[in-house]
């Protein structure tokens, strides 16, 4: 019997001093350096974790489409076969052909070149407006969430005022003050009217964060206010900030194309809305000249889909339950269960003899 | 030597539409360095208000709190020195560490803010702190809080509290969020550190058993008043105040349960 029991107390490898709980890690000077599975965070790994929210299928798909449009915007001059305003009276209302891949307009302009050059305005205005709006939203939202008393209330009131400012009339007025409003002005106005919603969301999240223990602990450590906000809080707000940024890009792009389509911002530089405006004015919809209005419309839809995909990806990152929801649904379907059943399916009860 | 002194501290909260709530009513006690005082009482008895006053989230309506004979400074260098001497271990180790930062960062910050060691020795000091709380620095130092278990996180929180080399540790229910099986380990760790460093500890809890196990003295709070105070065993085993008796009767007694279950002393409680 004794032979089957190993006396562990004499085994130098497992012996531990009396009174030390078994969970404790004993380290002596002779210990070989422990293998670190986690290397010291480098700039690269930090950058990687900051962008972790974009590391999923939906976000990557969205970012690829968006990246494609950004590249088109940057290299528009190289990519476009013609100048977007080059008039060719010999080729009017032409359907797609080898010379004009997407056909021509009423005065023989190349639609493809217009769409390519139009990308630039859309991307510039979308991103510029979103950068302006996000910066204002972060400053106002985080400050009003962190501060207390009248300062918080007045910033919140300011946010509410901007929430209800009717954006389209404002931009029509501003646009009418310029003969030919530069894209930067359009972007600035769109940014100025578009920050309030992001600020509202960030304020709510900051208010919840400021009472978390780790913020209290940082304050008890004597961290200065600017570090508490920038180092302790902002990283935890990154997903919301990214989502609000992407949302504002979408809103700004839709606003720009809408305003261009209805013709209130007469930008000489083309964007997709301007093309649709001309197409509509020249009766392309009635005459079924699909090559004129379909490409810009599809581009607007594609960039909207891309931005939504990025937002879905961020959503899944923030709320992991969404991530597994799809997998769960697939697994259920495999088993032949209906995902939309409100309750778990119960097998019909097998009759058993009841005891008296 | 008296480390902490509560001198007739009263805290009244004004509640909108409901008048006033007296959270602390003329509370006085002293804590010597190297001593552990257990602060027990049910929810709403004023335990957390004491912690909030100590961490400066609240100021007393009247009365004075003194650390080392000096009233709590409001700002400036005095406040920094006060914060360095008094550190807090929070209840929930899942909330008290910033999910975004590594363990190294959490321990480095207090070292740098209070200039405990020169920058070149920070890394060694962080490792030493982790070893003090019986964690393997090589394994945990570059991890994020979510990669650690609750007990490990609470050990990190304790290491962070110790980093600035305080004289007084305020532990607000430090084990109530932990798994029962690791509570004793964390409490024993706290007791060891307290003995080795001569720390004063204010142990806030509603768990009479751990309060008795861990504290030298116990202070029983009820509705903002200190109703009983004395050596831990005395207060728990021989409660004088009716409220303490009630508290004791309300906490489960494993012996009594065992006795009644085995039928030796059925029903007598």
């Amino acid at each position: 019997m004794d032979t089957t029991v190993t006396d562990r107390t004499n085994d130098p490898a497992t012996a531990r001093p009396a009174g030390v709980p078994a969970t404790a890690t004993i380290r002596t000077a002779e210990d070989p350096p422990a293998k670190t599975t986690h290397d010291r965070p480098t700039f690269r790994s930090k950058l990687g974790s900051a962008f972790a929210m974009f590391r999923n299928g939906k976000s990557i798909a969205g970012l690829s489409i968006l990246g494609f449009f950004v590249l088109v915007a940057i290299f528009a001059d190289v990519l476009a076969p013609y100048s977007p305003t080059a008039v060719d009276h010999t080729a009017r209302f032409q359907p797609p052909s080898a010379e004009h891949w997407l056909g021509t307009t009423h005065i023989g302009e190349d639609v493809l070149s217009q769409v390519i050059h139009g990308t630039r305005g859309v991307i510039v205005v979308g991103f510029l407006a979103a950068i302006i709006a996000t910066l204002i939203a972060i400053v106002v939202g985080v400050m009003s969430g962190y501060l207390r008393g009248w300062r918080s209330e007045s910033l919140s009131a300011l946010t509410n005022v901007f929430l209800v400012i009717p954006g389209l009339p404002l931009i029509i007025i501003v646009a009418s003050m310029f003969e030919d409003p530069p894209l930067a002005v359009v972007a600035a106005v769109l940014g100025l009217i578009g920050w309030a919603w992001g600020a509202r969301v960030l304020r709510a999240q900051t208010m919840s964060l400021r009472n978390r223990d780790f913020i209290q602990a940082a304050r008890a450590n004597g961290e200065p206010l600017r570090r508490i906000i920038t180092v302790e809080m902002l990283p935890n707000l990154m997903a919301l900030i990214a989502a609000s940024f992407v949302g504002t890009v979408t809103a700004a792009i839709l606003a720009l194309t809408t305003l261009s389509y209805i013709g209130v911002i007469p930008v000489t530089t083309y964007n997709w809305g301007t093309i649709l405006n001309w197409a509509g004015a020249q009766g392309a919809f009635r005459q079924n000249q699909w090559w004129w209005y379909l490409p810009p419309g599809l581009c607007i839809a594609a960039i909207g889909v891309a931005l939504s995909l990025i937002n879905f990806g961020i959503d899944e990152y923030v709320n992991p339950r969404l991530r597994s929801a799809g997998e769960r649904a697939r697994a259920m379907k495999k088993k032949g269960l209906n995902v939309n059943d409100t309750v778990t399916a119960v097998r019909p009860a097998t009759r058993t003899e009841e005891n008296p | 030597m008296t480390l902490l002194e509560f001198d007739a501290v009263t805290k009244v909260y004004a509640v909108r539409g409901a008048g006033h709530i007296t959270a602390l009513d003329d509370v006085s006690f002293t804590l010597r360095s190297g001593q552990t005082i257990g602060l027990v009482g049910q929810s709403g008895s004023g335990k957390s208000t004491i912690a909030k006053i100590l961490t400066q989230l609240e100021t007393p309506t009247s009365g004075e709190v003194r650390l080392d004979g000096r009233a709590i400074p409001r700002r400036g260098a005095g406040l920094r020195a006060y914060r360095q001497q008094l550190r807090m271990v929070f209840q929930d180790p899942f909330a008290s560490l910033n999910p975004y930062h590594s363990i190294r960062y959490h321990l480095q910050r207090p070292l740098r803010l209070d200039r405990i060691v020169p920058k070149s020795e920070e890394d060694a000091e962080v490792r030493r702190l982790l070893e003090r709380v019986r964690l393997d620095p090589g394994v945990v130092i570059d991890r994020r809080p979510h990669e650690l278990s609750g007990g490990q996180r609470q050990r990190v929180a304790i290491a962070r509290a110790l980093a600035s080399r305080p004289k007084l540790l305020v532990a607000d229910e430090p084990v109530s969020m932990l798994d029962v099986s690791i509570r004793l380990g964390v409490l024993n760790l706290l007791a060891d550190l307290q003995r080795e460093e001569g720390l004063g500890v204010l142990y806030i809890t509603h768990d009479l058993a751990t309060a008795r196990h861990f504290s030298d003295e116990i202070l029983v709070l009820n509705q903002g008043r200190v109703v009983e105070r004395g050596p831990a065993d005395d207060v728990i085993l021989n409660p004088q105040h009716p409220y303490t008796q009630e508290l004791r009767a309300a906490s489960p007694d494993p012996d009594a349960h065992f006795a009644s279950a085995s039928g030796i002393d059925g029903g007598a409680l």
Side-chain angles (χ1 to χ4, degrees), chain A residues 19-21 23-27 31 34-41 45-46 49-50 212-224 227 231-233 235-236 238, chain B residues 55 57 80 83 86-87 90-92 95-102 104-106 108-110 113-114 123 131 134-139 142-144 147 155 160 182 185:
Chain A
V20 176
T23 50
T25 312
I26 319 290
R27 286 177 50 85
D31 258 4
K35 268 190 189 155
T36 44
T37 45
H38 290 248
D39 292 322
R40 189 171 181 147
S45 76
K46 274 188 174 172
S49 58
R212 303 267 175 94
D213 282 351
F214 65 83
I215 299 295
Q216 309 276 25
R219 270 199 282 185
N221 278 355
E223 293 273 14
R227 256 195 93 90
V231 183
E232 303 287 336
M233 276 189 168
N236 290 294
M238 268 332 278
Chain B
T55 50
L57 293 174
R80 183 158 287 274
R83 281 178 168 158
L86 180 145
R87 279 295 145 98
F90 290 84
Q91 175 177 13
D92 184 357
S96 67
L97 301 173
N98 191 335
Y100 189 79
H101 293 307
S102 68
R104 180 198 302 277
Y105 176 88
H106 279 99
Q108 224 168 29
R109 286 308 298 168
L113 283 165
D114 291 316
D123 195 62
E131 278 173 22
R134 320 266 194 278
L135 289 171
D136 185 344
V139 174
D142 285 317
R143 299 220 174 171
R144 304 277 183 81
E147 296 173 286
R155 284 165 193 264
R160 171 174 64 183
I182 53 175

Side-chain angles (χ1 to χ4, degrees), chain B residues 158-214:
Chain B
I158 292 169
R160 171 174 64 183
L162 292 176
S164 69
R165 300 187 184 159
K167 292 182 183 166
L168 177 64
L169 210 61
V170 179
D172 187 0
E173 310 236 18
V175 294
S176 68
M177 299 291 282
L178 300 182
D179 209 86
V180 179
S181 56
I182 53 175
R183 284 184 186 175
L184 191 65
V186 172
L187 278 180
N188 283 341
L189 170 73
L190 268 176
D192 288 349
L193 294 168
Q194 186 240 8
R195 245 194 331 274
E196 289 161 22
E197 315 219 340
L199 278 170
V201 176
L202 194 62
Y203 176 53
I204 300 174
T205 184
H206 55 235
D207 180 3
L208 292 184
T210 60
R212 182 185 160 202
H213 170 80
F214 183 52

